[in-house]
Amino acid sequence: MFYWKDKERCEEEYGAPNILQENIAFGDVTYNFKELDLAIQQNYELDQQHHHVRQFNELVECTDGHNTKNTFHSLSRIMVPSKNPQL
């Protein structure tokens, strides 16, 4: 589920569109709290829709649940390779 109340403002501020747009989002997209509340109520007890799962798997490369740790290790190797040889 995506809550994009300020998405357009953020894209303007950063000067580029978000890589994730509504046509490839892997969940319901909402733009205000009322829509978000309704989407939660409608989807809470349901399984993820198959097209959302398929879209997620197409877009997301790493799904092992360790994205933060993997990103930290990758950045550590780039920023300080000689001090962190085990990373």
Side-chain angles (χ1 to χ4, degrees):
M1 211 167 283
F2 296 91
Y3 181 54
W4 284 346
K5 177 182 176 190
D6 297 324
K7 179 178 173 288
E8 288 182 17
R9 184 179 61 82
C10 291
E11 289 175 336
E12 286 178 24
E13 186 172 317
Y14 289 110
N18 185 321
I19 192 168
L20 187 60
Q21 294 294 320
E22 189 168 349
N23 64 319
I24 60 169
F26 42 88
D28 291 347
V29 176
T30 62
Y31 292 94
N32 61 57
F33 187 76
K34 188 175 181 178
E35 290 176 350
L36 176 63
D37 183 51
L38 182 60
I40 291 170
Q41 289 180 43
Q42 290 175 341
N43 291 289
Y44 184 75
E45 294 187 24
L46 302 177
D47 291 336
Q48 263 187 307
Q49 296 179 31
H50 292 291
H51 70 276
H52 288 159
V53 173
R54 189 173 49 252
Q55 189 67 34
F56 176 84
N57 290 330
E58 189 173 316
L59 293 172
V60 178
E61 184 177 331
C62 297
T63 59
D64 64 0
H66 301 287
N67 290 356
T68 301
K69 184 171 88 174
N70 293 341
T71 300
F72 173 79
H73 287 301
S74 293
L75 290 173
S76 294
R77 282 192 295 274
I78 293 167
M79 296 174 74
V80 194
S82 61
K83 292 185 180 183
N84 295 309
Q86 72 278 6
L87 299 178

